[in-house]
């Protein structure tokens, strides 16, 4: 079910931008690691997107060539489209993309330069190793949000089975991820999943 038309006031666009600025600074491991918080904010709290719209934004961006960050623009686009048309859709995509890119790009640029200069310092190496479990936990949380969108876990065992098989194939083989995405798209197209 798609979201109904929701009017978004000017201050709410600013709130959306501010929220994505905060998410940008939390996006250790990439913007995909902040998907649970995006879901809480956009779907649960403000009802600007439905679960279906939210998941479709991520799925389309993952299947499309280019950076997977496009899902942020698609979410903004859909929010704007739900609130009044093409102009708002462009505004939504711009607000979310600027919010998610500006702080993280600036911090990444500065930190990467500093980290490269100090790459042999023990504290820098320890920080990098300490962040690994945090990134893995955030990615697992993202997987959980996406896989439980319909809130009927026992009925969706094929989805869980496919997800586990896909993770195993990615981990143990050199099969390109796009082939797996294409197979998943075909399974979805034919209604198998």
């Amino acid at each position: 079910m798609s979201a109904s038309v929701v009017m978004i006031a000017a201050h709410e666009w600013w709130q959306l931008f501010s929220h994505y600025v905060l998410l940008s600074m939390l996006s250790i491991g990439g913007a995909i690691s902040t998907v649970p918080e995006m879901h809480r904010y956009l779907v649960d709290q403000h009802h600007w997107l439905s679960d279906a719209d939210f998941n479709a934004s991520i799925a389309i961006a993952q299947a499309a060539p280019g950076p997977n960050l496009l899902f942020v623009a698609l979410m903004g686009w859909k929010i704007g489209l739900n609130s009044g048309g093409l102009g708002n859709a462009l505004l939504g995509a711009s607000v979310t993309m600027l919010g998610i890119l500006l702080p993280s790009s600036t911090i990444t640029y500065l930190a990467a330069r500093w980290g490269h200069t100090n790459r042999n310092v023990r504290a820098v190496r320890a920080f990098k190793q300490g962040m690994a479990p945090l990134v893995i936990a955030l990615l697992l949380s993202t997987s959980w949000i996406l896989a439980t969108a319909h809130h009927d876990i026992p009925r969706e065992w094929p989805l869980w089975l496919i997800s586990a098989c896909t993770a195993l194939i990615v981990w143990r083989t050199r099969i390109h991820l796009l082939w797996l995405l294409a197979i998943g798209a075909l399974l979805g197209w034919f209604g198998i999943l």
Side-chain angles (χ1 to χ4, degrees):
M1 175 166 65
S2 68
S4 58
V5 175
V6 177
M7 297 307 295
I8 298 179
H11 75 278
E12 290 176 312
W13 286 114
W14 175 251
Q15 288 174 352
L16 181 64
F17 174 75
S18 301
H19 193 74
Y20 271 87
V21 166
L22 290 174
L23 290 177
S24 177
M25 292 188 278
L26 293 173
S27 60
I28 299 164
I32 196 78
S33 64
T34 60
V35 162
E37 175 55 21
M38 289 181 198
H39 184 272
R40 185 199 65 76
Y41 187 76
L42 301 176
V43 177
D44 296 336
Q45 183 177 339
H46 289 284
H47 308 289
W48 287 335
L49 291 178
S50 67
D51 273 321
D53 289 338
F54 188 85
N55 286 345
S57 298
I58 294 173
I60 291 168
Q62 296 300 312
N68 65 5
L69 185 64
L70 291 176
F71 76 90
V72 173
L74 288 175
M75 288 178 188
W77 175 272
K78 188 63 180 170
I79 291 169
L81 209 56
N82 289 343
S83 71
L86 189 59
N88 280 359
L90 290 171
L91 176 63
S94 300
V95 162
T96 54
M97 285 302 284
L98 278 176
I100 203 77
L101 284 176
L102 205 56
S104 62
S105 298
T106 304
I107 291 170
T108 299
Y109 175 74
L110 296 173
R113 284 184 56 142
W114 185 86
H116 184 71
T117 303
N118 298 292
R119 62 185 173 277
N120 294 324
V121 175
R122 185 177 183 170
V124 172
R125 290 194 328 247
F127 177 78
K128 287 180 177 178
Q129 290 177 351
M131 292 305 290
L134 178 63
V135 171
I136 291 170
L138 288 171
L139 290 174
L140 288 174
S141 177
T142 298
S143 302
W144 178 259
I145 291 288
L146 292 175
T148 60
H150 298 111
H151 310 290
D152 190 8
I153 295 172
R155 190 177 62 107
E156 296 179 343
W157 66 266
L159 177 63
W160 286 89
L161 179 63
I162 292 293
S163 298
C165 290
T166 303
L168 192 61
I169 290 170
V170 168
W171 179 39
R172 302 299 293 177
T173 70
R174 293 184 175 267
I175 295 174
H176 199 281
L177 187 59
L178 287 179
W179 287 111
L180 301 174
L181 286 170
I183 293 169
L186 285 174
L187 292 174
W189 179 272
F190 290 112
I192 296 171
L193 289 180

